[in-house]
Amino acid sequence: MKDKLAQSERRFAELIWRLEPIGSGELVKLCSREMGWKKSTTYTVLKNLCEKGIFQNQNAVVTSLLKKDEFYARQGRRFVEDAFGGSLPKFLAAFIGGRKLSDTQAAVLKKLIDEHKES
């Protein structure tokens, strides 16, 4: 799966995730109304996102192969890999950037670390 989407693809994907399952004909009407797209544009972008393994269009019904949360989690992991050499501590240090965490935020992070720590 290719993680990077153009802004228009991301907007389109968000629309599908919000409304799925959605008939492809209804999706064409919606994209015309909300995005100003022609039918051919909608089908071209849908085809591209299907080829990327994010959606499928079977029997004129569009559904996701990759749920929104999973897609963005993969994007996040790819970003940490590319920008920080896969180092989660380096990413967190950059993300926090000298700010202070609240006690609640620190507790949530500690809990996440404990839940995902190798034994």
Side-chain angles (χ1 to χ4, degrees), residues 46-84:
L46 178 59
K47 180 179 178 246
N48 291 342
L49 295 181
C50 288
E51 287 173 355
K52 290 181 180 186
I54 301 170
F55 297 106
Q56 64 181 357
N57 183 9
Q58 290 188 326
N59 301 319
V61 176
V62 179
T63 56
S64 62
L65 294 171
L66 206 56
K67 298 299 179 197
K68 179 180 176 179
D69 290 346
E70 185 180 352
F71 173 79
Y72 285 115
R74 286 184 182 191
Q75 268 197 325
R77 286 190 295 273
R78 169 76 56 89
F79 174 74
V80 171
E81 279 294 321
D82 292 348
F84 299 95

